[in-house]
Amino acid sequence: MKKIVTAFSIIAALFLFVACGGSKPAEGEQKKDDMKTTVEKTDVKKSVAVVYSTGGKGDKSFNDAVFRGVEKAQKELGITFKEYEPKDPGAESKDALERFAETGEFDLIIGVGFTMKDSILAAANAYPDQKFAIIDENTNDTSNVASVMFKEYEGSFLVGALAAMMSKTGTVGFVGGLELPLIKRFQSGFEQGAKYINPDIKVLSVYIGGNSAFNDPASAKTKTETLIQQKADVVYHAAGGSGAGVFEGAKAKNVYAIGVDSNQDGLFPGTILTSMMKYVDVATFNLVKDTLEGKFPLQHQEFGVKEGYVGTTEFEFTRDKIGEENIKKLEQIKQDIKDGKIVVKPTL
């Protein structure tokens, strides 16, 4: 009798085990999904590649800001990275992007600068499973390319306003690298800001041009001297590594200059009033972080004064020259842009 009861107990237990297991298919699927997520996480390589804009690192401007962003990701997120500094934004950059993609080693490959657009699109098309990002250009929501741009015209409005406050001649100048839509956004904002303070101010603009527009300090210095001869006493540049020539020209003639993209104030303390900051380093770091966390941004992103991605420096070397009254006036203009009371146009 005991043997019969034991047999029935075993059968009952087996029945319950099978019944309970069969009654929770959702839980079984969840475990499967969890396993898939774990596999995806372990598949993260924590490796990034960067192809810089022409001029490369050491420009004290845009490229160096990207480098600071990946360096921060290395320290705080534990990534490794490889980089390439092309002389040509066309075929050479495209080849570099595709060589990186071909290895399959990288979570994200970053192309730096608007001149990289065609190369990024070609590489993204050739390697659709690879994630790419471009900084300072829009790729129209290409599925495997994240694009980040900045409202540099808003930051340029601020430094234009400051230039007008500081000008004694009623004439200020702008030196751009190439006369392209992106660089004209800097010019546009600068002119709007200057005329917000002084509607009668004269804003002179020149472009460097040529094959090395963003890495030609000698030509930039010559252009700056021409502006100064026409009475410009504050000169703003959007010319990458060529900006060093703007600063040299301004210092030699004892006028003010304004830097761009990174904090360039310390290069010529007292000569450089401020720099129009584009927090490219922050954007680069966030791109890497989001990609590693599985939040690769598919849509185009654009950041301005309101988001805290463009602005001025803290006037470390020029606060006394500018004066607290002008600084307070500039802060109010910044707040008015944030609140929508001042609307800056991307183009004139």
Side-chain angles (χ1 to χ4, degrees), residues 28-342:
E29 284 183 17
Q30 182 62 48
K31 285 181 180 177
K32 199 173 181 181
D33 290 341
D34 289 345
M35 194 179 296
K36 184 178 179 183
T37 303
T38 304
V39 169
E40 287 176 352
K41 284 181 179 176
T42 56
D43 193 44
V44 171
K45 306 164 191 76
K46 284 195 141 184
S47 188
V48 172
V50 182
V51 178
Y52 293 101
S53 180
T54 51
K57 291 190 300 179
D59 63 355
K60 311 291 185 188
S61 187
F62 196 76
N63 285 307
D64 281 356
V66 173
F67 178 62
R68 287 197 301 274
V70 291
E71 266 197 322
K72 183 181 179 185
Q74 183 182 48
K75 291 173 185 173
E76 297 186 16
L77 306 177
I79 69 158
T80 60
F81 67 92
K82 292 184 180 178
E83 50 193 359
Y84 187 82
E85 299 177 64
K87 294 179 181 177
D88 168 29
E92 186 185 356
S93 296
K94 175 179 170 290
D95 289 345
L97 291 164
E98 292 187 349
R99 281 199 304 272
F100 282 138
E102 190 176 43
T103 67
E105 295 176 11
F106 303 101
D107 299 295
L108 181 67
I109 299 173
I110 301 171
V112 181
F114 66 95
T115 58
M116 198 73 69
K117 181 176 180 177
D118 290 343
S119 297
I120 278 276
L121 288 173
N125 184 57
Y127 294 90
D129 296 327
Q130 172 67 58
K131 292 182 177 69
F132 292 88
I134 186 167
I135 298 174
D136 239 15
E137 185 53 274
N138 184 1
T139 56
N140 299 316
D141 298 329
T142 306
S143 63
N144 60 328
V145 181
S147 60
V148 175
M149 288 185 71
F150 303 85
K151 296 176 182 178
E152 51 278 306
Y153 48 93
E154 291 184 348
S156 297
F157 187 98
L158 292 174
V159 299
L162 178 60
M165 291 176 200
M166 298 299 292
S167 177
K168 293 177 181 177
T169 63
T171 301
V172 296
F174 172 81
V175 178
L178 289 171
E179 196 167 357
L180 295 171
L182 176 65
I183 306 304
K184 288 182 78 67
R185 284 155 62 109
F186 290 85
Q187 178 191 347
S188 168
F190 180 68
E191 186 165 340
Q192 288 174 74
K195 291 191 173 181
Y196 179 81
I197 297 297
N198 177 6
D200 298 322
I201 199 166
K202 187 182 290 186
V203 182
L204 306 173
S205 298
V206 293
Y207 287 85
I208 298 166
N211 294 327
S212 302
F214 297 95
N215 193 29
D216 188 356
S219 293
K221 184 178 180 182
T222 300
K223 298 282 187 183
T224 301
E225 289 169 347
T226 300
L227 293 175
I228 295 168
Q229 286 168 7
Q230 297 175 66
K231 297 188 178 180
D233 58 353
V234 185
V235 182
Y236 172 45
H237 87 89
S242 298
V246 174
F247 302 147
E248 289 170 6
K251 183 175 175 59
K253 299 297 182 181
N254 199 30
V255 304
Y256 290 122
I258 296 174
V260 77
D261 292 338
S262 295
N263 186 342
Q264 300 181 318
D265 296 10
L267 297 178
F268 289 83
T271 293
I272 302 174
L273 277 174
T274 187
S275 299
M276 197 290 284
M277 298 292 291
K278 280 171 65 173
Y279 291 98
V280 178
D281 52 345
V282 177
T284 301
F285 175 84
N286 288 339
L287 272 172
V288 174
K289 185 172 182 287
D290 287 347
T291 302
L292 295 183
E293 292 177 352
K295 297 183 287 187
F296 180 70
L298 296 176
Q299 76 283 4
H300 170 66
Q301 297 175 305
E302 190 164 356
F303 304 116
V305 166
K306 186 176 182 179
E307 296 81 13
Y309 274 77
V310 298
T312 65
T313 59
E314 296 298 321
F315 318 110
E316 180 183 357
F317 305 102
T318 54
R319 181 170 285 271
D320 290 343
K321 293 182 178 183
I322 295 169
E324 290 302 320
E325 186 179 339
N326 282 335
I327 290 172
K328 284 179 184 176
K329 199 181 294 183
L330 206 59
E331 283 299 317
Q332 185 58 57
I333 292 171
K334 183 178 178 181
Q335 190 60 50
D336 287 346
I337 293 173
K338 286 182 179 179
D339 295 341
K341 293 178 182 177
I342 295 176

